[in-house]
Amino acid sequence: MSAPAGLPPRPAGAAAAVYPGGPGASREAAAAQGGAPCYQNGPVQGQMQFPSGYGSHPPNYSVPSGHYSEVPNKAAASHLDNQYRASYYPTYYSAPAQNVMTPSVGTNVLNTQESQQLYNKTPPHTVGSAEGPIQGAIPPASYLHTNAQQSYSAFGNLYSTSVSSSVASQGFPLDSGHCTMPTTPVVSGAMYPSVSYPAAAGSVYGKAFTSQSLTAVGQFKETNTFSSWSISVPHSLQQHVPMGYNSTLSTMSSAQSVQGNLSRNLTGSAAKVNNQINTAIDSSSTTSSASPVLNNYDALEGGGYPEARSVTSSPVPAPSVPQTSKASKPFGYGYPTLQPGYQNAAPPTPVQPSNPGHHPGLQHYPQQYSGVNQLSSSLGGLSLQHSQQPESLRPVNLTQDRNILPVSSVPAPVPNLNSDLRKLNCSPDSFRCTLTNVPQTQALLNKAKLPLGLLLHPFRDLTQLPVITSSTIVRCRSCRTYINPFVSFIDQRRWKCNLCYRVNDVPEEFMYNPLTRSYGEPHKRPEVQNSTVEFIASSDYMLRPPQPAVYLFVLDVSHNAVEAGYLTIVCQSLLENLDKLPGDSRTRIGFITFDSTVQFYNLQEGLSQPQMLIVSDIDDIFLPTPDSLLVNLHESKELIKDLLNALPNMFTNTRETHSALGPALQAAFKLMSPTGGRISVFQTQLPSLGAGLLHSREDPNQRSSTKVVQHLGPATDFYKKLALDCSGQQTAVDLFLLSSQYSDLASLACISKYSAGCIYYYPSFHRSHNPTQAEKLQKDLKRYLTRKIGFEAVMRIRCTKGLSIHTFHGNFFVRSTDLLSLANVNPDAGFAVQMSIEESLTDTSLVCFQTALLYTSSKGERRIRVHTLCLPVVSSLADVYAGADVQAVVCLLANMAVDRSVSSSLADARDALVNAVVDSLAAYMSAASNLQQSMLIAPNSLKLFPLYILALLKQKAFRTGTSTRLDDRVYAMCQMKSQPLVHLMKMIHPNLYRIDRLIDESTIHVNDRVVPQPPLQKLSAEKLTREGAFFMDCGSIFYIWIGKNCDNNFIKDVLGYPNYASVPQKMTQLPEMDALSSERTRSFISWLRDGRPLSPVLQVIKDENPAKTDFLQHLIEDRTEAAFSYYEFLLNIQQQICK
Amino acid sequence: FCILSYCTIFPYLVFQIITLSDLECDYINARSCCSKLNKWVVPEVIGHAVVTVLMLISLHWFIFLLNLPVATWNIYRYIMVPSGNMGVFDPTEIHNRGQLKSHMKEAMIKLGFHLLCFFMYLYSMILALIND
């Protein structure tokens, strides 16, 4: 969004996104206004309590609160918090953003345990905020708690470790406690070192030390050595303790965001850095006495090990363990209780001794677990010289190491930054880079043979994000970067852009911090304290007034469609969700149906019933009554309801088999072009009439061919052109394809791909014959209709000078070099970009990436969501490998492979995937010269790389030799391009759990429910025993596989049938049985389900069920007729490397 | 009269380069750039093919052979456009995988080539005039 002010305007209609020099324009105004007055929220700062502040700033905050509250309201809080809970990475920094408006930075920083408690306790609040009307002071308060809970749910979950007994604690008292904290502690904390670090941080710390002193120690060593060290340790536990580690980090970021709020609410909230460091010092001093360290490790171990899951059951209960639990359990009474704990634990000792104190603990750890992890040798060396070989570089012999899967989900690697930056950094869920250590030069990147790119999920549902209203949005004058936490302030008046290094002035208005009511502290502003922020944009950011939410439904009503019976489901879902459609009083809605003709519906207010207008001239389509087809949702609600009730039966006797999709789309485009909005198209067959007609291109005999797969690209450019027209008019087309035969998705998908829509595909859909698909449609629709939506959006990704983005993946239209035009943006859309290093980055140690998404919310507000990610630059190959993020790499490769298979051929794409593994491992092995060449060695950070690539090769999108319908294949490709990383990884490598023996150990507590955490199993039939029942989480679908000799008790208690034989073939729901195992299973499943936007369909599969193949195809480590097993694949790679 | 046909191809190439660099600098959007360029792809191909064939007819073997690869490349490019694309220049792909750069490079090379040819033709025309 950096169109320099002097540029000629973009062609009209291209977007509402030209930004004449915003800051410049409003600077004078700001100066005139002076500091305080320009912030409406200035006057209100008498209290620190966020809720009250929140409530009492109607001009600024009411909107955000309303806006965000919409999320809990609509999607139901449970959905949100679950999303955080179940998702892959605990590091949902965003959530914590404002949860605790407190001086207790340290709390969040260091205290996972607390988070868990917090988290455990909050459900009542959640409910309150979810249901209550959101106004006044109280709802915001509960809203806060919701957030707290949500944010912590992630930690709680991942941190399954300890304190399962800590249910008692609470979110609310905690918050209020914090809120009412006097300012002084913080201020003083800012100024003095640890000694004077009184109640606030201290008590906070007391809570924290249980699990976190490990990182805390690291924290205080601010150098790189430290960070590599702190990385190395947790990673060495990677298989077992990733949670502990991650949660730490996430908490850090939470701390950062907390700080953001803090600075809003507290006068002189003062250097958070200091706070942080103080806390760190405190904690490190704790570690100087060896026993707490041990405890910490125990706690960590507890997190991962099945054997020792909770602190209390950990084998080495050193003196402070009881203390820990004491500190945590009574936590519910408010944190003052913790103070004793803190005082005991953290006498203000000098910092220095902490290191020696720490290392014994570390050594202790590997000894205990060496057997399990095969770590002993590498870790033994690690104890003092961590920086020498970070854990992520630990060589893993792939052919020998069979158990490479972590116990729980794979964590995102954490950039090797110093702790201040790290906690400011953007959440890996929104923003991930394939290489968290960016190589210095392109030559080094080429040597590493890994792709450099970003994976973005910019519009993710966030429960908390700072929303900033100010008349000037501070941006760099030359590159238009938004001010972010990684800029440097040269002095009070100037800041240096971290992307182009230009020195900019700080506008007068920015000097005043509305949250603290203090002047002259630009670095305390929320923009500078949070790497994810949202600005409410001024009219500078609009080309036209913000558009209303406009929804148009285009429904196929040909014979085929009526037969499949989807209309009933769609109309039903719409009726149910009509009031929940995001929008304001201007929301408009319209309907078009089509078979061989196109039917419009006049829903003008005042009519007694909907009027159908049939246009049969499909070659030259026109709108019969242009102004009454899209009507105001609220004014014509009755008519709309009538229509929806009538629609399913209107066409029951139709004999029309043709489908004129093209003309219907043209009509829809004409209807939408004045406003823009969203077109939802439901199509059930190949379009056979009018413009854009398609012919069947699939040869069923070629489905399982191993040679050439043709027709992956579109057959005509009609849909692409139409999509670009739509995109130009800010209209997105979402395609729902519900077909039983080939419908040429490759061509049809273009309409959504380039208009930034989304694609849903339901193969062999039939309402009664295929209930699974019907249920899926219903659930998808519910999410689809109620999720957040952004209109007339544009996204720009900027990166530090020297890097350049050369390829984009996702659904959008690249309008100019780095500007993505998104007619609509939805929270389930992911994007990927590939980058190259144009100039050497030798003179910088950090690179930053910033994505800015400018959109119109459904409430008609123009908003800009900005994410900033900061990564270190490294010069050695080893460091590049150490920072590789295997999941991001695999997702980016998947995107590249899709492009490759369309532009070249599937075989090429497959080869490229295999070569990616071969090249990178070969490069690694030749770089690490001390390794024996005969073995297949991968750095620990990449140990899952071959597995994931194999999984990718066995995906529907890329597999050969197995019968795959062309549409299925194309759909899988579309998903790879448009899914965010979290969902894509589930699709590539599903999670398999054994669920017939769920135990209470290692459970976590979510909303007063006990959620068991069974360990991940390898995706191999060897793990499936006939005695067991297994659960597979494939992202969009859940399978439960029941072995033949499965325990009858399980079948009876969980499935509700007396024995194996009586379990029906099609079972999609688990009954609510009154048995412990049933309860556990259900809570586990609902916990997984809550974590994602599309609630997946459950399918119970018996051993001899025909649907078994669906399940077995996901066992990617096994050999199939057409593909290698994992071991064979490894051998194959090894061979190729040796060649 | 080779020169005549050159007079038409030259402006086109210059135009192509200007448009592409416009796009690079973000002055126009990809859609309009590509539609502008695609309009002239066919005339270019035809024009160049005609020149090449004329060379063959007038038995200028050397010049014909010189032109042949370029003409073939043009025709190949035109034929190989995937069915779903909107022409040689596709707005949805032009920003991806360095396509913009490769288009630019190609235009530059062609410009150089045609410049060379232009002077060769000019030379041979003058030579022919003198001989007359």
Side-chain angles (χ1 to χ4, degrees), chain A residues 7 714 717 720 725 754 806-808 813 815-817, chain B residues 26-27 30-31 83-86 90-92 95-97:
Chain A
L7 292 185
D717 63 359
K720 194 184 236 177
D725 290 336
Y754 301 109
H806 59 85
T807 306
F808 300 88
F813 169 50
R815 207 172 56 213
S816 66
T817 352
Chain B
D26 206 359
Y27 289 132
R31 182 101 206 258
S83 55
N85 277 15
M86 294 164 63
D90 189 280
T92 57
H95 284 298
N96 266 7
R97 274 164 277 136

PDB file of all heavy atoms in Angstrom, chain A residues 7 714 717 720 725 754 806-808 813 815-817, chain B residues 26-27 30-31 83-86 90-92 95-97:
ATOM      1  N   LEU A   7       2.082   9.398  -7.542  1.00  0.00           N
ATOM      2  CA  LEU A   7       1.771   8.558  -8.687  1.00  0.00           C
ATOM      3  C   LEU A   7       0.411   8.889  -9.263  1.00  0.00           C
ATOM      4  O   LEU A   7      -0.480   9.305  -8.559  1.00  0.00           O
ATOM      5  CB  LEU A   7       1.779   7.099  -8.259  1.00  0.00           C
ATOM      6  CG  LEU A   7       3.144   6.596  -7.879  1.00  0.00           C
ATOM      7  CD1 LEU A   7       3.055   5.118  -7.583  1.00  0.00           C
ATOM      8  CD2 LEU A   7       4.098   6.837  -9.023  1.00  0.00           C
ATOM      9  N   PRO A 714      -7.024 -24.913 -16.749  1.00  0.00           N
ATOM     10  CA  PRO A 714      -8.362 -24.594 -17.242  1.00  0.00           C
ATOM     11  C   PRO A 714      -8.492 -24.813 -18.750  1.00  0.00           C
ATOM     12  O   PRO A 714      -7.516 -24.740 -19.490  1.00  0.00           O
ATOM     13  CB  PRO A 714      -8.509 -23.114 -16.897  1.00  0.00           C
ATOM     14  CG  PRO A 714      -7.124 -22.600 -16.738  1.00  0.00           C
ATOM     15  CD  PRO A 714      -6.302 -23.746 -16.277  1.00  0.00           C
ATOM     16  N   ASP A 717     -10.537 -19.530 -21.044  1.00  0.00           N
ATOM     17  CA  ASP A 717     -10.189 -18.385 -20.212  1.00  0.00           C
ATOM     18  C   ASP A 717     -11.415 -17.582 -19.798  1.00  0.00           C
ATOM     19  O   ASP A 717     -11.293 -16.535 -19.192  1.00  0.00           O
ATOM     20  CB  ASP A 717      -9.157 -17.494 -20.916  1.00  0.00           C
ATOM     21  CG  ASP A 717      -9.709 -16.888 -22.205  1.00  0.00           C
ATOM     22  OD1 ASP A 717     -10.869 -17.179 -22.541  1.00  0.00           O
ATOM     23  OD2 ASP A 717      -8.977 -16.142 -22.860  1.00  0.00           O
ATOM     24  N   LYS A 720     -11.566 -17.173 -16.032  1.00  0.00           N
ATOM     25  CA  LYS A 720     -10.489 -16.315 -15.544  1.00  0.00           C
ATOM     26  C   LYS A 720     -10.800 -14.854 -15.829  1.00  0.00           C
ATOM     27  O   LYS A 720     -10.677 -14.000 -14.958  1.00  0.00           O
ATOM     28  CB  LYS A 720      -9.199 -16.730 -16.251  1.00  0.00           C
ATOM     29  CG  LYS A 720      -7.958 -16.178 -15.629  1.00  0.00           C
ATOM     30  CD  LYS A 720      -6.760 -16.561 -16.457  1.00  0.00           C
ATOM     31  CE  LYS A 720      -5.720 -17.288 -15.648  1.00  0.00           C
ATOM     32  NZ  LYS A 720      -4.592 -17.723 -16.461  1.00  0.00           N
ATOM     33  N   ASP A 725     -12.655  -9.528 -13.974  1.00  0.00           N
ATOM     34  CA  ASP A 725     -13.651  -8.468 -13.975  1.00  0.00           C
ATOM     35  C   ASP A 725     -14.252  -8.316 -12.587  1.00  0.00           C
ATOM     36  O   ASP A 725     -14.416  -7.210 -12.080  1.00  0.00           O
ATOM     37  CB  ASP A 725     -14.771  -8.788 -14.978  1.00  0.00           C
ATOM     38  CG  ASP A 725     -14.286  -8.679 -16.419  1.00  0.00           C
ATOM     39  OD1 ASP A 725     -13.298  -7.955 -16.637  1.00  0.00           O
ATOM     40  OD2 ASP A 725     -14.881  -9.314 -17.309  1.00  0.00           O
ATOM     41  N   TYR A 754      -9.047 -16.330  -8.921  1.00  0.00           N
ATOM     42  CA  TYR A 754      -8.560 -14.997  -9.234  1.00  0.00           C
ATOM     43  C   TYR A 754      -9.442 -13.901  -8.679  1.00  0.00           C
ATOM     44  O   TYR A 754      -9.112 -12.736  -8.780  1.00  0.00           O
ATOM     45  CB  TYR A 754      -8.371 -14.850 -10.746  1.00  0.00           C
ATOM     46  CG  TYR A 754      -7.408 -15.876 -11.261  1.00  0.00           C
ATOM     47  CD1 TYR A 754      -7.836 -16.945 -12.036  1.00  0.00           C
ATOM     48  CD2 TYR A 754      -6.072 -15.807 -10.903  1.00  0.00           C
ATOM     49  CE1 TYR A 754      -6.942 -17.909 -12.469  1.00  0.00           C
ATOM     50  CE2 TYR A 754      -5.181 -16.771 -11.326  1.00  0.00           C
ATOM     51  CZ  TYR A 754      -5.615 -17.817 -12.121  1.00  0.00           C
ATOM     52  OH  TYR A 754      -4.729 -18.770 -12.536  1.00  0.00           O
ATOM     53  N   HIS A 806       9.053 -12.980  -5.235  1.00  0.00           N
ATOM     54  CA  HIS A 806       8.869 -13.167  -6.674  1.00  0.00           C
ATOM     55  C   HIS A 806       7.671 -14.021  -7.039  1.00  0.00           C
ATOM     56  O   HIS A 806       7.235 -14.002  -8.181  1.00  0.00           O
ATOM     57  CB  HIS A 806      10.146 -13.695  -7.327  1.00  0.00           C
ATOM     58  CG  HIS A 806      10.618 -15.003  -6.787  1.00  0.00           C
ATOM     59  ND1 HIS A 806      10.131 -16.187  -7.250  1.00  0.00           N
ATOM     60  CD2 HIS A 806      11.517 -15.301  -5.826  1.00  0.00           C
ATOM     61  CE1 HIS A 806      10.727 -17.174  -6.597  1.00  0.00           C
ATOM     62  NE2 HIS A 806      11.569 -16.674  -5.730  1.00  0.00           N
ATOM     63  N   THR A 807       7.129 -14.772  -6.133  1.00  0.00           N
ATOM     64  CA  THR A 807       5.978 -15.584  -6.495  1.00  0.00           C
ATOM     65  C   THR A 807       4.974 -15.600  -5.352  1.00  0.00           C
ATOM     66  O   THR A 807       5.356 -15.670  -4.188  1.00  0.00           O
ATOM     67  CB  THR A 807       6.426 -17.015  -6.812  1.00  0.00           C
ATOM     68  OG1 THR A 807       7.432 -16.970  -7.803  1.00  0.00           O
ATOM     69  CG2 THR A 807       5.276 -17.846  -7.332  1.00  0.00           C
ATOM     70  N   PHE A 808       3.724 -15.528  -5.720  1.00  0.00           N
ATOM     71  CA  PHE A 808       2.662 -15.542  -4.722  1.00  0.00           C
ATOM     72  C   PHE A 808       1.791 -16.776  -4.918  1.00  0.00           C
ATOM     73  O   PHE A 808       1.539 -17.182  -6.049  1.00  0.00           O
ATOM     74  CB  PHE A 808       1.776 -14.308  -4.870  1.00  0.00           C
ATOM     75  CG  PHE A 808       2.505 -13.013  -4.709  1.00  0.00           C
ATOM     76  CD1 PHE A 808       3.111 -12.407  -5.790  1.00  0.00           C
ATOM     77  CD2 PHE A 808       2.576 -12.397  -3.485  1.00  0.00           C
ATOM     78  CE1 PHE A 808       3.777 -11.209  -5.657  1.00  0.00           C
ATOM     79  CE2 PHE A 808       3.242 -11.189  -3.336  1.00  0.00           C
ATOM     80  CZ  PHE A 808       3.844 -10.600  -4.420  1.00  0.00           C
ATOM     81  N   PHE A 813      -5.653 -11.852  -6.976  1.00  0.00           N
ATOM     82  CA  PHE A 813      -5.093 -11.382  -8.226  1.00  0.00           C
ATOM     83  C   PHE A 813      -3.950 -10.427  -7.888  1.00  0.00           C
ATOM     84  O   PHE A 813      -4.126  -9.496  -7.117  1.00  0.00           O
ATOM     85  CB  PHE A 813      -6.196 -10.691  -9.041  1.00  0.00           C
ATOM     86  CG  PHE A 813      -5.688  -9.951 -10.235  1.00  0.00           C
ATOM     87  CD1 PHE A 813      -4.822 -10.572 -11.125  1.00  0.00           C
ATOM     88  CD2 PHE A 813      -6.073  -8.646 -10.473  1.00  0.00           C
ATOM     89  CE1 PHE A 813      -4.350  -9.889 -12.228  1.00  0.00           C
ATOM     90  CE2 PHE A 813      -5.602  -7.962 -11.578  1.00  0.00           C
ATOM     91  CZ  PHE A 813      -4.737  -8.582 -12.454  1.00  0.00           C
ATOM     92  N   ARG A 815      -2.131  -7.521  -8.488  1.00  0.00           N
ATOM     93  CA  ARG A 815      -2.440  -6.400  -9.353  1.00  0.00           C
ATOM     94  C   ARG A 815      -1.194  -5.624  -9.761  1.00  0.00           C
ATOM     95  O   ARG A 815      -1.080  -5.150 -10.863  1.00  0.00           O
ATOM     96  CB  ARG A 815      -3.448  -5.480  -8.691  1.00  0.00           C
ATOM     97  CG  ARG A 815      -4.252  -4.739  -9.731  1.00  0.00           C
ATOM     98  CD  ARG A 815      -5.374  -3.981  -9.118  1.00  0.00           C
ATOM     99  NE  ARG A 815      -4.859  -3.093  -8.105  1.00  0.00           N
ATOM    100  CZ  ARG A 815      -5.527  -2.780  -7.019  1.00  0.00           C
ATOM    101  NH1 ARG A 815      -6.714  -3.285  -6.813  1.00  0.00           N
ATOM    102  NH2 ARG A 815      -5.010  -1.967  -6.132  1.00  0.00           N
ATOM    103  N   SER A 816      -0.313  -5.440  -8.866  1.00  0.00           N
ATOM    104  CA  SER A 816       0.966  -4.895  -9.291  1.00  0.00           C
ATOM    105  C   SER A 816       2.034  -5.596  -8.469  1.00  0.00           C
ATOM    106  O   SER A 816       1.712  -6.414  -7.629  1.00  0.00           O
ATOM    107  CB  SER A 816       1.006  -3.389  -9.111  1.00  0.00           C
ATOM    108  OG  SER A 816       0.955  -3.092  -7.747  1.00  0.00           O
ATOM    109  N   THR A 817       3.272  -5.242  -8.698  1.00  0.00           N
ATOM    110  CA  THR A 817       4.368  -6.076  -8.217  1.00  0.00           C
ATOM    111  C   THR A 817       4.149  -6.720  -6.848  1.00  0.00           C
ATOM    112  O   THR A 817       4.427  -7.892  -6.687  1.00  0.00           O
ATOM    113  CB  THR A 817       5.668  -5.253  -8.167  1.00  0.00           C
ATOM    114  OG1 THR A 817       5.408  -4.019  -8.781  1.00  0.00           O
ATOM    115  CG2 THR A 817       6.760  -5.974  -8.864  1.00  0.00           C
TER     116      THR A 817
ATOM    117  N   ASP B  26       4.864  -0.216 -11.410  1.00  0.00           N
ATOM    118  CA  ASP B  26       3.597  -0.087 -10.728  1.00  0.00           C
ATOM    119  C   ASP B  26       2.766   1.091 -11.237  1.00  0.00           C
ATOM    120  O   ASP B  26       1.920   1.609 -10.536  1.00  0.00           O
ATOM    121  CB  ASP B  26       3.859   0.094  -9.225  1.00  0.00           C
ATOM    122  CG  ASP B  26       2.690  -0.392  -8.405  1.00  0.00           C
ATOM    123  OD1 ASP B  26       1.721  -0.824  -9.030  1.00  0.00           O
ATOM    124  OD2 ASP B  26       2.746  -0.347  -7.181  1.00  0.00           O
ATOM    125  N   TYR B  27       3.050   1.560 -12.458  1.00  0.00           N
ATOM    126  CA  TYR B  27       2.261   2.677 -12.953  1.00  0.00           C
ATOM    127  C   TYR B  27       0.922   2.241 -13.526  1.00  0.00           C
ATOM    128  O   TYR B  27      -0.039   2.988 -13.535  1.00  0.00           O
ATOM    129  CB  TYR B  27       3.027   3.449 -14.028  1.00  0.00           C
ATOM    130  CG  TYR B  27       4.168   4.233 -13.465  1.00  0.00           C
ATOM    131  CD1 TYR B  27       5.416   4.187 -14.031  1.00  0.00           C
ATOM    132  CD2 TYR B  27       3.970   5.000 -12.328  1.00  0.00           C
ATOM    133  CE1 TYR B  27       6.468   4.898 -13.484  1.00  0.00           C
ATOM    134  CE2 TYR B  27       5.016   5.705 -11.772  1.00  0.00           C
ATOM    135  CZ  TYR B  27       6.262   5.655 -12.353  1.00  0.00           C
ATOM    136  OH  TYR B  27       7.288   6.350 -11.808  1.00  0.00           O
ATOM    137  N   ALA B  30      -1.795  -4.806 -13.927  1.00  0.00           N
ATOM    138  CA  ALA B  30      -1.419  -5.943 -14.757  1.00  0.00           C
ATOM    139  C   ALA B  30      -2.450  -6.223 -15.835  1.00  0.00           C
ATOM    140  O   ALA B  30      -2.119  -6.567 -16.968  1.00  0.00           O
ATOM    141  CB  ALA B  30      -1.249  -7.164 -13.886  1.00  0.00           C
ATOM    142  N   ARG B  31      -3.692  -6.040 -15.478  1.00  0.00           N
ATOM    143  CA  ARG B  31      -4.764  -6.363 -16.409  1.00  0.00           C
ATOM    144  C   ARG B  31      -4.666  -5.525 -17.668  1.00  0.00           C
ATOM    145  O   ARG B  31      -4.624  -6.030 -18.783  1.00  0.00           O
ATOM    146  CB  ARG B  31      -6.105  -6.111 -15.710  1.00  0.00           C
ATOM    147  CG  ARG B  31      -7.291  -6.457 -16.531  1.00  0.00           C
ATOM    148  CD  ARG B  31      -7.859  -7.786 -16.110  1.00  0.00           C
ATOM    149  NE  ARG B  31      -8.575  -8.407 -17.204  1.00  0.00           N
ATOM    150  CZ  ARG B  31      -9.892  -8.403 -17.305  1.00  0.00           C
ATOM    151  NH1 ARG B  31     -10.619  -7.839 -16.377  1.00  0.00           N
ATOM    152  NH2 ARG B  31     -10.482  -8.997 -18.313  1.00  0.00           N
ATOM    153  N   SER B  83      -4.461 -23.255 -22.672  1.00  0.00           N
ATOM    154  CA  SER B  83      -5.809 -22.882 -23.104  1.00  0.00           C
ATOM    155  C   SER B  83      -6.503 -21.943 -22.130  1.00  0.00           C
ATOM    156  O   SER B  83      -7.377 -21.196 -22.518  1.00  0.00           O
ATOM    157  CB  SER B  83      -6.640 -24.153 -23.272  1.00  0.00           C
ATOM    158  OG  SER B  83      -6.614 -24.890 -22.072  1.00  0.00           O
ATOM    159  N   GLY B  84      -6.134 -21.989 -20.891  1.00  0.00           N
ATOM    160  CA  GLY B  84      -6.843 -21.145 -19.937  1.00  0.00           C
ATOM    161  C   GLY B  84      -6.259 -19.753 -19.823  1.00  0.00           C
ATOM    162  O   GLY B  84      -6.787 -18.920 -19.117  1.00  0.00           O
ATOM    163  N   ASN B  85      -5.162 -19.512 -20.478  1.00  0.00           N
ATOM    164  CA  ASN B  85      -4.522 -18.209 -20.322  1.00  0.00           C
ATOM    165  C   ASN B  85      -5.074 -17.197 -21.310  1.00  0.00           C
ATOM    166  O   ASN B  85      -5.617 -17.551 -22.349  1.00  0.00           O
ATOM    167  CB  ASN B  85      -3.018 -18.341 -20.501  1.00  0.00           C
ATOM    168  CG  ASN B  85      -2.357 -18.786 -19.222  1.00  0.00           C
ATOM    169  OD1 ASN B  85      -3.036 -19.256 -18.306  1.00  0.00           O
ATOM    170  ND2 ASN B  85      -1.056 -18.651 -19.142  1.00  0.00           N
ATOM    171  N   MET B  86      -4.873 -15.970 -20.985  1.00  0.00           N
ATOM    172  CA  MET B  86      -5.484 -14.927 -21.783  1.00  0.00           C
ATOM    173  C   MET B  86      -4.551 -14.412 -22.861  1.00  0.00           C
ATOM    174  O   MET B  86      -4.713 -13.303 -23.335  1.00  0.00           O
ATOM    175  CB  MET B  86      -5.924 -13.793 -20.873  1.00  0.00           C
ATOM    176  CG  MET B  86      -7.025 -14.242 -19.942  1.00  0.00           C
ATOM    177  SD  MET B  86      -7.283 -13.150 -18.576  1.00  0.00           S
ATOM    178  CE  MET B  86      -7.770 -11.691 -19.423  1.00  0.00           C
ATOM    179  N   ASP B  90      -0.210 -13.056 -19.503  1.00  0.00           N
ATOM    180  CA  ASP B  90      -1.388 -13.343 -18.695  1.00  0.00           C
ATOM    181  C   ASP B  90      -1.318 -12.548 -17.400  1.00  0.00           C
ATOM    182  O   ASP B  90      -0.363 -12.678 -16.642  1.00  0.00           O
ATOM    183  CB  ASP B  90      -1.463 -14.828 -18.396  1.00  0.00           C
ATOM    184  CG  ASP B  90      -2.779 -15.187 -17.753  1.00  0.00           C
ATOM    185  OD1 ASP B  90      -2.916 -14.975 -16.528  1.00  0.00           O
ATOM    186  OD2 ASP B  90      -3.672 -15.640 -18.465  1.00  0.00           O
ATOM    187  N   PRO B  91      -2.313 -11.711 -17.168  1.00  0.00           N
ATOM    188  CA  PRO B  91      -2.220 -10.828 -16.001  1.00  0.00           C
ATOM    189  C   PRO B  91      -2.112 -11.577 -14.678  1.00  0.00           C
ATOM    190  O   PRO B  91      -1.583 -11.048 -13.720  1.00  0.00           O
ATOM    191  CB  PRO B  91      -3.525 -10.035 -16.058  1.00  0.00           C
ATOM    192  CG  PRO B  91      -4.418 -10.798 -16.947  1.00  0.00           C
ATOM    193  CD  PRO B  91      -3.541 -11.514 -17.911  1.00  0.00           C
ATOM    194  N   THR B  92      -2.639 -12.791 -14.632  1.00  0.00           N
ATOM    195  CA  THR B  92      -2.589 -13.474 -13.345  1.00  0.00           C
ATOM    196  C   THR B  92      -1.232 -14.093 -13.082  1.00  0.00           C
ATOM    197  O   THR B  92      -0.933 -14.479 -11.978  1.00  0.00           O
ATOM    198  CB  THR B  92      -3.649 -14.578 -13.276  1.00  0.00           C
ATOM    199  OG1 THR B  92      -3.432 -15.470 -14.360  1.00  0.00           O
ATOM    200  CG2 THR B  92      -5.028 -14.009 -13.370  1.00  0.00           C
ATOM    201  N   HIS B  95       3.200 -11.531 -12.702  1.00  0.00           N
ATOM    202  CA  HIS B  95       4.027 -11.158 -11.557  1.00  0.00           C
ATOM    203  C   HIS B  95       4.676 -12.351 -10.887  1.00  0.00           C
ATOM    204  O   HIS B  95       5.422 -12.199  -9.935  1.00  0.00           O
ATOM    205  CB  HIS B  95       3.188 -10.411 -10.531  1.00  0.00           C
ATOM    206  CG  HIS B  95       2.915  -9.012 -10.928  1.00  0.00           C
ATOM    207  ND1 HIS B  95       3.909  -8.090 -11.108  1.00  0.00           N
ATOM    208  CD2 HIS B  95       1.758  -8.382 -11.220  1.00  0.00           C
ATOM    209  CE1 HIS B  95       3.378  -6.945 -11.470  1.00  0.00           C
ATOM    210  NE2 HIS B  95       2.078  -7.089 -11.553  1.00  0.00           N
ATOM    211  N   ASN B  96       4.334 -13.534 -11.343  1.00  0.00           N
ATOM    212  CA  ASN B  96       4.862 -14.716 -10.663  1.00  0.00           C
ATOM    213  C   ASN B  96       6.121 -15.244 -11.324  1.00  0.00           C
ATOM    214  O   ASN B  96       6.307 -15.119 -12.527  1.00  0.00           O
ATOM    215  CB  ASN B  96       3.806 -15.822 -10.652  1.00  0.00           C
ATOM    216  CG  ASN B  96       3.000 -15.776  -9.388  1.00  0.00           C
ATOM    217  OD1 ASN B  96       3.140 -14.856  -8.592  1.00  0.00           O
ATOM    218  ND2 ASN B  96       2.170 -16.781  -9.185  1.00  0.00           N
ATOM    219  N   ARG B  97       6.914 -15.870 -10.539  1.00  0.00           N
ATOM    220  CA  ARG B  97       8.106 -16.567 -11.004  1.00  0.00           C
ATOM    221  C   ARG B  97       8.950 -15.725 -11.963  1.00  0.00           C
ATOM    222  O   ARG B  97       9.423 -16.210 -12.975  1.00  0.00           O
ATOM    223  CB  ARG B  97       7.712 -17.886 -11.680  1.00  0.00           C
ATOM    224  CG  ARG B  97       7.565 -19.016 -10.693  1.00  0.00           C
ATOM    225  CD  ARG B  97       6.826 -20.171 -11.310  1.00  0.00           C
ATOM    226  NE  ARG B  97       5.414 -19.967 -11.251  1.00  0.00           N
ATOM    227  CZ  ARG B  97       4.573 -20.193 -12.246  1.00  0.00           C
ATOM    228  NH1 ARG B  97       5.006 -20.618 -13.385  1.00  0.00           N
ATOM    229  NH2 ARG B  97       3.289 -20.001 -12.083  1.00  0.00           N
TER     230      ARG B  97
END
